[in-house]
């Protein structure tokens, strides 16, 4: 959803009923973020014609100085 958030997935092809590891990296120094809780979204393309993208929402809680 923003360049401060990036993601990689272990397998680019996941068969039905199978799983893969999604790694999401958030860079809090990329730009000024608000203190407290906010969310970032990772969009994953799929081959499902009824749902061409899956969304994963990551909640971040920044507590500077702690």
């Amino acid at each position: 959803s923003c360049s401060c958030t990036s993601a990689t997935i272990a397998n680019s092809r996941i068969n039905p009923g199978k799983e893969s590891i999604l790694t999401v990296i958030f860079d809090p120094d990329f730009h000024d973020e608000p203190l407290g809780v906010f969310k970032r979204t990772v969009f994953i393309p799929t081959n499902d014609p009824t749902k061409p993208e899956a969304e994963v929402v990551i909640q971040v809680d920044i507590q500077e100085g702690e």
Side-chain angles (χ1 to χ4, degrees):
S1 60
C2 171
S3 294
C4 65
T5 308
S6 62
T8 57
I9 195 160
N11 304 87
S12 61
R13 181 181 178 100
I14 306 168
N15 290 324
K18 299 299 179 182
E19 57 187 53
S20 185
I21 296 173
L22 174 68
T23 303
V24 178
I25 297 173
F26 170 70
D27 181 0
D29 296 325
F30 188 80
H31 51 71
D32 289 337
E33 300 290 353
L35 290 179
V37 177
F38 63 97
K39 296 178 182 179
R40 291 291 183 255
T41 305
V42 175
F43 299 95
I44 304 169
T46 76
N47 65 351
D48 183 344
T50 62
K51 188 170 185 173
E53 277 187 337
E55 294 183 19
V56 176
V57 179
I58 307 298
Q59 181 171 307
V60 179
D61 186 355
I62 294 181
Q63 299 177 355
E64 284 193 22
E66 292 185 29

